[in-house]
Amino acid sequence: MFIELDLQSETPIYAQLVDQIVEGIASGALKPGDPLPSIRNLSEDLGINLHTVNKAYNLLKQEGFLQVHRKKGVIVQPDGMPGVTEEFEEKLRQQLRSLAAAAAVRGMSEEAFAQESKSVYRDMIMNRGGEQR
Amino acid sequence: MFIELDLQSETPIYAQLVDQIVEGIASGALKPGDPLPSIRNLSEDLGINLHTVNKAYNLLKQEGFLQVHRKKGVIVQPDGMPGVTEEFEEKLRQQLRSLAAAAAVRGMSEEAFAQESKSVYRDMIMNRGGEQR
Amino acid sequence: MFIELDLQSETPIYAQLVDQIVEGIASGALKPGDPLPSIRNLSEDLGINLHTVNKAYNLLKQEGFLQVHRKKGVIVQPDGMPGVTEEFEEKLRQQLRSLAAAAAVRGMSEEAFAQESKSVYRDMIMNRGGEQR
Amino acid sequence: MFIELDLQSETPIYAQLVDQIVEGIASGALKPGDPLPSIRNLSEDLGINLHTVNKAYNLLKQEGFLQVHRKKGVIVQPDGMPGVTEEFEEKLRQQLRSLAAAAAVRGMSEEAFAQESKSVYRDMIMNRGGEQR
DNA sequence: GTGGTCTAGACCACC
DNA sequence: GTGGTCTAGACCACA
């Protein structure tokens, strides 16, 4: 589980963290029940502030992707991930619309766009069950 | 071409403006050469600040989607839209990755995700050549 | 709308803030659409840190009691408060259970307990429509 | 007398313990003079730390709900439970106020709230004299 | 001027 | 040791 941050990026650090952890779960690098580094450890490793990590963890907890366990610390949700809610679909569609519009205007075809989505998804999932950590 | 702003949204107003104009172009509601409302007019209509509209127009100009003429005012790029640059593809992929990860974690299948992308694109394009304004 | 904090209390400051704002809404002292003091103003007035107020506001936003409006700042949810969700009922019952148990053990009767609940609710609502601010 | 802990809950384990023991007394599952498991036994059964159980027992002793004997070990207060003190009433009212406010804002009526309180109390008491352990 | 983000450093409750 | 809370002070994007 490697995390790479771009401190120059305009997307906030905590959001990058959230993204990468979610991708870690999606790719299978992080499995349900797996422990995550403690806030302090991770913040030190990444050279960022503890509150920034805390914010990311909290967001993921709210979304139901992580649990804060009294004994094990922070772990990946072991009791089943949240499903595809109405709310999520709405947000997904809205973001896709924005991307699709930009793609369409630049001349990318419907097939190309769908293909791109498909391959991105596939690349992410690819090595499920593969790397353990 | 109707523009709807959500003043409570987390996405800044200027970004919503950019999105909706791009979608307008993608859908065919706005065609190359079509005039856009003046900064002053649009800002008044929407009840927002001049600077906000200005920022949106400037971004779109930079991306090559709009032209700003002294005489004709702001018009939709008539000389061919920018194509699919390497830079754009990279940005697209990165955003799709984030969406795909969230979708995958929530149990949405590759097909469902690709299908969603496809249908969003299609809905947007649907009435090309249709409504003029 | 007066807010009183007990800095010695073991309930965190941000939680006291949340409570009092919710009580303000319940009592009618705060009406839908009403603006709340800016984070900086309130934190200064109360002599606490800006982040503490921010946390309270954020929690209330998440719960749907407040909105962060791009132009008006923070306001009381104007589009209808969230209803009685399954989740809320569960939490309510759990907390009532704890209170009821302590009351029962100390010899407070069912009627007395229900009566207490009733009168507390009533006192809170009492001057709805009354004080404006 | 079964105790169930939720290690993910926000309420500390010792507090959950306190709650459940009080509920046990209220429901009649634990009667005055009844013995409670030794600290060591209970902590092992629940798979938690000695200190945690100890803290819970101590709090209950301070409140007058338990007695700790050198010989008999820990037993439920046989000499009459503490009554409804001024202090308790104040705490009760304060907590009810917080709950009532949240309920009111979400549109729960005074009757519904009082009814909920009543039924929670009743469910707890229901099988008094019933199960022994 | 607003909220959002980030840092640095501190104390505390819990386990 | 863990996460949770609070403070102080800073910069930035947005409007």
Side-chain angles (χ1 to χ4, degrees):
Chain A
M1 181 62 199
F2 301 105
I3 290 185
E4 288 175 15
L5 299 179
D6 176 2
L7 302 196
Q8 314 309 322
S9 165
E10 51 179 16
T11 64
I13 298 180
Y14 80 90
Q16 294 182 47
L17 256 179
V18 166
D19 270 2
Q20 301 217 13
I21 291 173
V22 173
E23 290 179 25
I25 300 175
S27 76
L30 290 170
K31 295 190 195 325
D34 277 2
L36 269 74
S38 79
I39 294 182
R40 280 174 182 75
N41 269 330
L42 188 51
S43 66
E44 221 170 287
D45 283 4
L46 298 176
I48 60 178
N49 191 279
L50 140 179
H51 290 110
T52 308
V53 176
N54 190 35
K55 180 163 189 175
Y57 276 7
N58 262 325
L59 281 173
L60 289 163
K61 183 176 103 187
Q62 280 168 26
E63 285 205 70
F65 293 164
L66 297 185
Q67 270 188 5
V68 178
H69 198 280
R70 292 249 161 216
K71 311 190 74 168
K72 302 180 201 161
V74 179
I75 61 175
V76 178
Q77 178 66 261
D79 304 335
M81 289 289 167
V84 178
T85 63
E86 190 53 58
E87 184 190 355
F88 171 71
E89 275 221 306
E90 186 46 48
K91 207 186 89 196
L92 173 63
R93 247 191 305 260
Q94 193 215 318
Q95 299 211 51
L96 280 177
R97 204 176 316 134
S98 168
L99 294 178
V105 168
R106 285 169 180 277
M108 185 180 258
S109 74
E110 181 183 319
E111 286 73 29
F113 183 68
Q115 183 52 41
E116 193 72 40
S117 303
K118 197 165 193 146
S119 74
V120 163
Y121 185 109
R122 186 167 298 173
D123 287 355
M124 166 155 301
I125 291 302
M126 213 167 51
N127 33 20
R128 269 230 179 140
E131 45 173 321
Q132 187 67 21
R133 139 162 251 225
Chain B
M1 181 62 198
F2 300 105
I3 290 188
E4 287 177 15
L5 299 179
D6 177 1
L7 301 212
Q8 287 96 54
S9 167
E10 304 209 329
T11 61
I13 298 181
Y14 82 91
Q16 294 182 47
L17 257 179
V18 167
D19 270 3
Q20 301 217 13
I21 292 173
V22 173
E23 289 179 26
I25 301 175
S27 74
L30 290 170
K31 297 192 192 327
D34 277 2
L36 268 72
S38 75
I39 295 183
R40 199 167 301 271
N41 272 335
L42 188 51
S43 65
E44 263 175 37
D45 281 4
L46 299 175
I48 60 179
N49 198 295
L50 277 174
H51 301 347
T52 309
V53 176
N54 192 37
K55 180 164 189 175
Y57 277 4
N58 265 329
L59 280 174
L60 288 164
K61 187 179 91 183
Q62 276 176 18
E63 285 204 72
F65 293 165
L66 297 185
Q67 274 188 7
V68 180
H69 284 274
R70 282 243 168 264
K71 299 192 167 178
K72 305 182 199 165
V74 181
I75 62 173
V76 178
Q77 178 65 261
D79 305 335
M81 288 291 167
V84 178
T85 64
E86 189 52 58
E87 183 193 356
F88 172 71
E89 273 223 306
E90 186 46 47
K91 208 187 87 194
L92 173 63
R93 246 191 307 260
Q94 192 215 319
Q95 299 211 51
L96 280 177
R97 202 176 319 133
S98 168
L99 294 179
V105 169
R106 286 171 179 274
M108 185 181 258
S109 74
E110 182 183 319
E111 286 74 29
F113 183 69
Q115 182 53 40
E116 193 73 40
S117 303
K118 197 165 193 146
S119 75
V120 163
Y121 185 109
R122 185 166 298 174
D123 287 356
M124 167 155 301
I125 291 304
M126 213 167 51
N127 32 22
R128 269 225 180 147
E131 48 172 319
Q132 187 66 21
R133 195 188 180 194
Chain C
M1 181 62 199
F2 301 106
I3 289 187
E4 289 176 14
L5 299 179
D6 175 2
L7 302 196
Q8 314 308 323
S9 166
E10 51 179 17
T11 64
I13 299 180
Y14 81 90
Q16 295 182 46
L17 256 179
V18 166
D19 270 2
Q20 301 217 13
I21 291 173
V22 173
E23 290 179 25
I25 300 175
S27 74
L30 290 171
K31 296 189 195 327
D34 277 2
L36 269 74
S38 79
I39 294 182
R40 280 172 182 76
N41 269 331
L42 188 51
S43 65
E44 222 170 286
D45 283 3
L46 298 176
I48 61 179
N49 190 280
L50 139 180
H51 291 109
T52 308
V53 176
N54 191 35
K55 179 163 191 175
Y57 277 6
N58 262 324
L59 281 174
L60 289 164
K61 183 176 101 185
Q62 279 169 26
E63 285 204 71
F65 293 164
L66 297 186
Q67 269 189 4
V68 178
H69 198 280
R70 293 250 162 216
K71 312 192 71 168
K72 303 181 201 160
V74 179
I75 61 175
V76 178
Q77 178 66 260
D79 303 335
M81 289 291 166
V84 178
T85 63
E86 190 51 59
E87 184 191 354
F88 171 71
E89 274 221 307
E90 186 46 49
K91 209 187 86 195
L92 173 63
R93 248 191 304 259
Q94 192 214 319
Q95 300 211 50
L96 281 177
R97 204 176 316 133
S98 169
L99 293 179
V105 169
R106 285 169 180 275
M108 186 180 258
S109 73
E110 181 183 319
E111 286 73 29
F113 183 69
Q115 183 53 40
E116 193 72 41
S117 303
K118 198 164 192 149
S119 74
V120 164
Y121 185 110
R122 184 166 300 174
D123 287 355
M124 166 155 301
I125 291 303
M126 213 166 50
N127 33 20
R128 269 225 181 145
E131 47 173 320
Q132 185 68 22
R133 144 160 245 228
Chain D
M1 180 62 198
F2 301 105
I3 290 187
E4 287 177 15
L5 299 179
D6 177 1
L7 301 209
Q8 286 97 53
S9 166
E10 304 209 329
T11 62
I13 298 181
Y14 82 91
Q16 294 183 47
L17 257 179
V18 167
D19 269 3
Q20 301 217 13
I21 291 173
V22 174
E23 289 179 27
I25 299 175
S27 75
L30 290 171
K31 296 193 192 327
D34 276 3
L36 268 73
S38 77
I39 294 183
R40 200 167 301 271
N41 272 335
L42 188 51
S43 66
E44 264 175 36
D45 282 5
L46 299 176
I48 60 179
N49 197 295
L50 278 173
H51 302 345
T52 309
V53 177
N54 192 37
K55 180 163 189 175
Y57 278 4
N58 264 329
L59 279 173
L60 288 163
K61 189 179 90 183
Q62 277 178 15
E63 285 206 71
F65 293 166
L66 296 185
Q67 274 188 5
V68 180
H69 284 274
R70 282 243 167 264
K71 300 191 167 176
K72 305 182 200 166
V74 181
I75 63 173
V76 178
Q77 178 64 262
D79 305 336
M81 289 291 169
V84 177
T85 63
E86 188 53 57
E87 183 192 355
F88 171 71
E89 272 223 306
E90 186 44 48
K91 209 188 85 194
L92 173 64
R93 246 191 306 259
Q94 193 214 321
Q95 299 212 50
L96 280 178
R97 204 176 318 134
S98 168
L99 293 179
V105 169
R106 286 170 179 275
M108 186 180 258
S109 74
E110 182 184 318
E111 286 74 28
F113 183 68
Q115 182 53 40
E116 194 71 42
S117 304
K118 197 165 193 145
S119 73
V120 163
Y121 186 109
R122 185 167 298 175
D123 287 354
M124 167 156 300
I125 291 303
M126 213 167 49
N127 34 20
R128 271 231 177 139
E131 47 173 320
Q132 187 67 20
R133 209 207 156 178

